[in-house]
Amino acid sequence: MEDMVHRYFSLWISFFNNSLTRDLEFKANFIGGLLVDIIYYGIQFFFFSIIYSYVDAIGVFTREDVMIFLVITFLADTFYMFFFSGNLFNLNRWMVRGDLDYFLLKPMNSQFMVSFRYVKSYALVSVVILLIMLTTLVSAYSAPIGFINVIAFVFSFLMGTILWYGVDFIISSSCFWFKNFSVSGWLSHEILKFSTRPDSIYTGLLRKMLLSMIPMILIASIPTRTLLYGPDVRYLLWQFFIAIFFFLLTRIIWKKGLIRYESASS
Amino acid sequence: MPIQVNELSKQFKMFKREAGLSGAFRSFFKRKYETFHALKEISVQIEDGEILGILGENGAGKTTLIKLLVGLLHPTSGEVNINGFTPWNRKSNFLKQISVVMGQKNQLWWDIPASESFLLNQKIYEIPQSQYKNTLDELVDLLSVRDKLNVQVRRLSLGERMKMEIIASLLHNPKIVLLDEPTIGLDVISQLKIREFVKYYNEKYKTTFLLTSHYMHDIQALCKRVFVIHKGASLYDGDFEELVNRVNPKRKLLFEFNDKPDYNKIEKLSEKYNFHINNTILQSELPDKELTKLVSELFKLGVPASITMEDLPVEDTMRSFFTDPEKFLK
């Protein structure tokens, strides 16, 4: 087990090195990627500033809370982008063009290969900036935030990332059945938007769905609540259970998908 | 016996649509599917160290067969056993023994030098450093691409890129290599270099090669045995030269007389044999036996200045074969 972890970690490092070498080749792309992130974050901050100029709180989230929630949302998004988005977004194209063939021929876990092969290295800069912003906001927060909160937040954040990976992977893998499902990346992108609003705005059946079938609330809202208001064991256990469930589902879907894989003609 | 294929079949369900916009609308709501038999009960056995040519016209099923042999596709029925492995189980130990080069696809990272992709392959295949260095040194020298190792793949010519693809696929010393159109689009010199390389590598390491190519010179230079697929079914499995002879048993003769021959005698000969004569040069295309008889008759007519007998271009022969392969193999 230890050997396997070491092997896959070392493989990921090689993927990262190659991705960074490639990304640094194209300076404009590298800087452009950072700019796109900054513009996106700016628009979100602006959007919530407008809302909070009319109301004092959205559910339990005050203006101060929402600023931290937003940074956590961006962090989750950027963290995900860094590891996975360069891969799953392209799965359909790889399948249609037959590029997937070479991935499947390598003596390693093919799901790992298609999930981690391309690292969006420029996102690492955004991750660092967002971590600095989060630390600053948390230090200046009106109530003290304890060490337990931080540890539980890290756990909750990781579970949220696994969950988002699971949802995105399942949507992307549907191309095995639909042959060409090029909108999968955009569909995932739109679904993710549910996670960029504080969970207090969702009620009734929609809330239930966003906590289970499409668990977008668990990606950023629950980590934010955990960090600001302390760990809620029920939420954390639920998050853990759903994350494991979705991850196992990705394994099953990937294996079933490979049986259906038809490759592309030469 | 490294590769055993028994009654391997592969079917694809294909969406069938009527032509035109109305057809597109109808099929959007009600789809019609039909089953396409890409491979029909193929059986073949391949020995260690053999170079087997897989021939067939476009869409015959060659690439499907290769993809089944490396485990990219799951068959509809049938079995494949490669050194005790079933390919589509995709066991790591199996994948470490094989390699595939697809002439129209890249495994190399496009925007970075090939050397970086080689290092990645070293990690993926867990190749010890000394073995990696020795193999890489040997391959880059054999294929004369040392000076291109640190050039971004996108800046390489097609021939250089293909050589790099071949290096990437051989770094782990596979026992079986499947080459799917490795010389497609390459100039004559690059084609020749790759052919020479495959021949050398096969002789030195006894690696089994399966080769598909539309260039019959590749097949002629490398494969003693060929396996012909036609419309998904096995049509011929045997000696390539024998197949060529069966399709076109004729050879070409160029007989140049020292002096002008006696035209009366030549006319008599033309009643028995088919040839053209222009001044002192006689040309004919006949089956081997007849050609030998003609040559002995020609000797009686005069002393030759030169005699040349050659095979007809294999590309032409095989082109006519593929227009109606069943006709030639009845």
Side-chain angles (χ1 to χ4, degrees):
Chain A
M1 180 69 181
E2 200 181 312
D3 281 354
M4 198 177 77
V5 172
H6 180 261
R7 169 166 156 73
Y8 279 89
F9 179 69
S10 137
L11 280 171
W12 185 83
I13 293 291
S14 298
F15 290 154
F16 176 71
N17 287 341
N18 278 12
S19 302
L20 185 63
T21 311
R22 182 194 60 173
D23 291 347
L24 291 175
E25 278 271 320
F26 306 103
K27 221 190 314 183
N29 260 350
F30 196 88
I31 297 167
L34 283 172
L35 266 176
V36 170
D37 282 359
I38 290 165
I39 292 168
Y40 173 70
Y41 303 153
I43 289 170
Q44 295 295 318
F45 275 120
F46 178 70
F47 171 70
F48 277 97
S49 302
I50 301 272
I51 292 177
Y52 278 95
S53 64
Y54 293 99
V55 295
D56 294 327
I58 300 172
V60 292
F61 283 53
T62 62
R63 185 190 183 96
E64 187 185 25
D65 295 350
V66 161
M67 287 303 130
I68 291 178
F69 166 75
L70 280 179
V71 174
I72 290 174
T73 307
F74 302 153
L75 191 62
D77 183 44
T78 313
F79 197 68
Y80 185 79
M81 203 155 67
F82 175 66
F83 283 106
F84 304 110
S85 73
N87 300 289
L88 300 186
F89 194 83
N90 294 315
L91 184 57
N92 183 74
R93 186 169 54 87
W94 292 340
M95 214 186 85
V96 172
R97 287 178 18 175
D99 297 339
L100 192 59
D101 290 0
Y102 273 123
F103 296 6
L104 301 179
L105 288 168
K106 299 294 179 203
M108 62 185 290
N109 184 299
S110 54
Q111 185 175 343
F112 180 87
M113 182 78 161
V114 297
S115 303
F116 289 100
R117 189 180 188 234
Y118 292 110
V119 183
K120 281 204 172 166
S121 57
Y122 71 84
L124 192 60
V125 181
S126 301
V127 168
V128 172
I129 294 169
L130 289 165
L131 277 173
I132 293 169
M133 280 173 76
L134 183 64
T135 313
T136 313
L137 286 170
V138 165
S139 314
Y141 192 63
S142 52
I145 290 174
F147 185 63
I148 298 286
N149 290 22
V150 176
I151 296 289
F153 162 74
V154 171
F155 171 80
S156 180
F157 183 83
L158 287 176
M159 289 303 113
T161 304
I162 294 172
L163 263 169
W164 176 227
Y165 166 76
V167 173
D168 195 14
F169 190 90
I170 290 164
I171 293 171
S172 304
S173 301
S174 56
C175 53
F176 281 117
W177 283 265
F178 301 137
K179 310 301 174 205
N180 190 349
F181 193 50
S182 55
V183 295
S184 62
W186 298 112
L187 181 63
S188 300
H189 183 75
E190 292 307 313
I191 288 175
L192 180 68
K193 283 184 181 165
F194 283 111
S195 73
T196 60
R197 308 285 179 261
D199 68 297
S200 316
I201 68 167
Y202 305 118
T203 54
L205 184 64
L206 180 62
R207 183 176 177 81
K208 280 185 182 136
M209 274 179 64
L210 292 174
L211 276 167
S212 53
M213 283 166 64
I214 315 166
M216 293 297 109
I217 285 179
L218 302 177
I219 291 173
S221 283
I222 300 305
T224 307
R225 281 172 179 271
T226 306
L227 182 68
L228 300 183
Y229 316 135
D232 181 330
V233 177
R234 284 172 312 160
Y235 269 135
L236 293 181
L237 276 176
W238 180 244
Q239 219 187 359
F240 177 72
F241 170 74
I242 293 281
I244 298 295
F245 173 76
F246 269 86
F247 181 72
L248 291 177
L249 206 55
T250 66
R251 298 292 300 136
I252 293 166
I253 286 176
W254 182 246
K255 285 178 184 168
K256 297 263 181 212
L258 288 182
I259 294 171
R260 295 184 65 95
Y261 182 54
E262 289 184 359
S263 185
S265 56
S266 58
Chain B
M1 180 75 61
I3 303 176
Q4 260 185 307
V5 180
N6 292 324
E7 299 190 343
L8 192 67
S9 295
K10 178 68 187 174
Q11 296 171 2
F12 293 106
K13 206 168 99 178
M14 287 173 81
F15 158 51
K16 195 184 173 190
R17 171 173 98 65
E18 292 162 46
L21 189 62
S22 58
F25 271 110
R26 266 197 299 277
S27 69
F28 185 83
F29 295 102
K30 196 177 178 187
R31 301 233 139 164
K32 284 181 187 165
Y33 291 94
E34 62 180 21
T35 305
F36 171 67
H37 299 268
L39 282 183
K40 298 170 200 162
E41 298 183 350
I42 295 283
S43 293
V44 62
Q45 296 182 343
I46 303 152
E47 302 287 347
D48 269 324
E50 199 176 349
I51 305 183
L52 177 74
I54 302 175
L55 301 183
E57 68 275 45
N58 285 331
K62 307 182 295 291
T63 304
T64 303
L65 177 61
I66 284 195
K67 285 179 178 174
L68 283 161
L69 293 182
V70 296
L72 284 172
L73 300 177
H74 283 63
T76 308
S77 63
E79 289 170 2
V80 177
N81 184 319
I82 299 183
N83 285 338
F85 291 99
T86 301
W88 43 92
N89 289 341
R90 291 203 186 99
K91 298 282 180 202
S92 277
N93 284 341
F94 165 70
L95 294 171
K96 282 181 181 177
Q97 291 183 24
I98 61 150
S99 206
V100 186
V101 177
M102 293 182 253
Q104 306 195 57
K105 286 175 192 160
N106 308 310
Q107 70 158 311
L108 300 170
W109 286 52
W110 189 249
D111 293 314
I112 58 176
S115 55
E116 305 282 349
S117 294
F118 297 160
L119 281 170
L120 183 61
N121 271 12
Q122 183 195 2
K123 279 260 163 62
I124 291 174
Y125 286 95
E126 301 177 278
I127 309 167
Q129 180 58 27
S130 59
Q131 184 194 325
Y132 170 76
K133 197 184 167 308
N134 293 339
T135 312
L136 184 62
D137 280 346
E138 184 189 10
L139 294 172
V140 291
D141 288 339
L142 279 170
L143 288 164
S144 322
V145 283
R146 187 169 288 281
D147 58 329
K148 303 288 177 188
L149 272 178
N150 293 316
V151 177
Q152 291 95 332
V153 172
R154 67 171 191 278
R155 295 188 197 276
L156 297 174
S157 70
L158 187 60
E160 289 162 350
R161 214 154 63 218
M162 185 44 66
K163 288 175 187 173
M164 295 298 189
E165 287 285 342
I166 290 175
I167 293 173
S169 70
L170 295 179
L171 280 173
H172 60 287
N173 295 333
K175 290 182 183 160
I176 300 165
V177 180
L178 297 100
L179 303 172
D180 190 12
E181 310 270 3
T183 54
I184 195 160
L186 301 189
D187 61 61
V188 182
I189 306 292
S190 302
Q191 284 181 24
L192 189 69
K193 186 88 187 166
I194 286 174
R195 264 178 233 144
E196 282 171 354
F197 172 78
V198 171
K199 200 165 192 160
Y200 168 83
Y201 196 87
N202 166 262
E203 278 166 10
K204 185 170 179 191
Y205 294 104
K206 305 292 170 226
T207 306
T208 307
F209 279 89
L210 270 71
L211 169 71
T212 78
S213 179
H214 282 115
Y215 298 124
M216 285 307 126
H217 290 303
D218 289 350
I219 303 290
Q220 192 177 29
L222 295 170
C223 311
K224 185 165 164 41
R225 179 183 162 205
V226 291
F227 184 72
V228 181
I229 306 176
H230 178 58
K231 292 179 182 165
S234 155
L235 194 65
Y236 177 85
D237 181 0
D239 193 87
F240 180 61
E241 289 304 323
E242 204 180 302
L243 175 67
V244 172
N245 283 336
R246 215 193 282 190
V247 177
N248 192 351
K250 292 177 182 173
R251 295 182 79 201
K252 191 175 177 181
L253 168 73
L254 270 176
F255 193 103
E256 191 180 357
F257 292 97
N258 250 340
D259 307 305
K260 266 190 175 179
D262 180 338
Y263 267 82
N264 289 331
K265 288 179 180 171
I266 286 288
E267 234 177 275
K268 255 193 172 178
L269 264 185
S270 71
E271 288 165 11
K272 276 170 77 182
Y273 303 99
N274 193 9
F275 57 78
H276 306 284
I277 187 158
N278 186 1
N279 205 10
T280 57
I281 298 172
L282 181 142
Q283 280 187 56
S284 179
E285 283 180 16
L286 288 169
D288 236 2
K289 272 186 184 171
E290 281 186 63
L291 210 59
T292 318
K293 280 183 192 165
L294 173 63
V295 171
S296 61
E297 301 256 16
L298 291 173
F299 267 105
K300 291 173 194 166
L301 299 184
V303 182
S306 68
I307 307 173
T308 318
M309 281 169 88
E310 57 188 39
D311 291 328
L312 291 169
V314 70
E315 296 280 353
D316 296 346
T317 305
M318 293 309 286
R319 199 175 301 127
S320 61
F321 169 69
F322 284 121
T323 53
D324 188 4
E326 282 157 331
K327 182 180 94 183
F328 294 101
L329 294 172
K330 263 175 196 167

